[in-house]
Structure formats: C-alpha cells, structure tokens
Amino acid sequence: MSTNGPDGTQAVAGLLAPLLRSGDVVLLTGGLATGKTTFVKAVVAALGSSATVTSPTFMLAQFYPLPQGTVLHVDAYRLSGSMSIVTWGWTITLTTQSP
Ligand SMILES: Nc1ncnc2c1ncn2[C@@H]1O[C@H](COP(=O)(O)OP(=O)(O)OP(=O)(O)O)[C@@H](O)[C@H]1O
Ligand SMILES: [Mg+2]
C-alpha cells in the first residue's frame, strides 16, 4: 500500500488499528524515512495511547503498554543474523535474510 503523505499513512493506520488482535504481526518494509514510524505512531495513538513513539533503530525494540495489550515495535534495520525476544511466555524470533 502506498500513500501520498503522512496524512494518508495515518488514515490507513487508523483503519487498521481497531482490526488488530493480540498476536497479530504487521510487517512494514521500506527505506529510510519512508513513513514506518509514522504508521506505528498512528496505530498506537488510535489504540488510545499517548505514548511517544520513536524509531527504535538504535533500540531494536520498544514496548507500548495499552489497556488492551502491549504493542511491540521492532526495527530490524541493524539486525544481522537473528534475534529473539522472550516475553509473556512467547518467544519471537526474527531472522534476516540475505538479499
Ligand atoms: N507517505 C508518507 N507516509 C508517512 N510519512 C511520510 C510520507 N511522506 C513523507 N513522510 C514524512 O517522512 C518522514 C519520515 O517518516 P518516518 O520517521 O515515519 O520514517 P521511517 O520509515 O520510520 O524512517 P526510519 O527508517 O529512519 O526509521 C516524516 O517526516 C513524515 O512526515
Ligand atoms: Mg522509523
């Protein structure tokens, strides 16, 4: 899906947010500054959080606790090989693939 600007990206995020259920995974791909964080920011806001959402490029992962569950925002940009996040009894493993 492509949008013409932040407003469009926020609108798409606002439509998707109420459809998300616990355990859903949303994959965002795109080069630097293509609106991935803008999308996550709008999803988290639409779910009712006032948390400040930033790019987790240097953090790898950030958690946004919400009344209905926690949003885990992972940025795989600096990931090489694989990474596992163990949380709430789940193990999430991300593995990069050579182009
Ligand atoms: N179609 C679009 N959707 C979302 N943001 C856009 C769009 N066009 C331009 N922008 C602008 O691009 C800038 C970068 O957006 P954002 O930080 O969300 O990108 P990113 O993909 O998360 O970048 P990075 O890879 O550096 O983390 C913002 O200032 C945003 O307003
Ligand atoms: Mg980002």
Side-chain angles (χ1 to χ4, degrees):
M1 181 169 289
S2 66
T3 61
N4 291 326
D7 288 353
T9 298
Q10 285 156 4
V12 172
L15 291 172
L16 179 76
L19 304 176
L20 292 174
R21 295 292 172 264
S22 184
D24 284 352
V25 176
V26 180
L27 295 175
L28 306 171
T29 62
L32 293 174
T34 49
K36 301 179 297 293
T37 296
T38 300
F39 184 85
V40 176
K41 226 177 249 188
V43 166
V44 168
L47 292 174
S49 170
S50 55
T52 306
V53 175
T54 54
S55 237
T57 304
F58 297 100
M59 303 277 299
L60 283 182
Q62 280 166 353
F63 294 82
Y64 300 106
L66 298 159
Q68 57 275 53
T70 299
V71 173
L72 168 59
H73 181 196
V74 176
D75 188 323
Y77 181 63
R78 292 183 183 276
L79 187 66
S80 60
S82 70
M83 152 183 148
S84 292
I85 298 171
V86 181
T87 183
W88 310 296
W90 291 70
T91 303
I92 303 161
T93 302
L94 302 173
T95 306
T96 53
Q97 205 173 12
S98 302

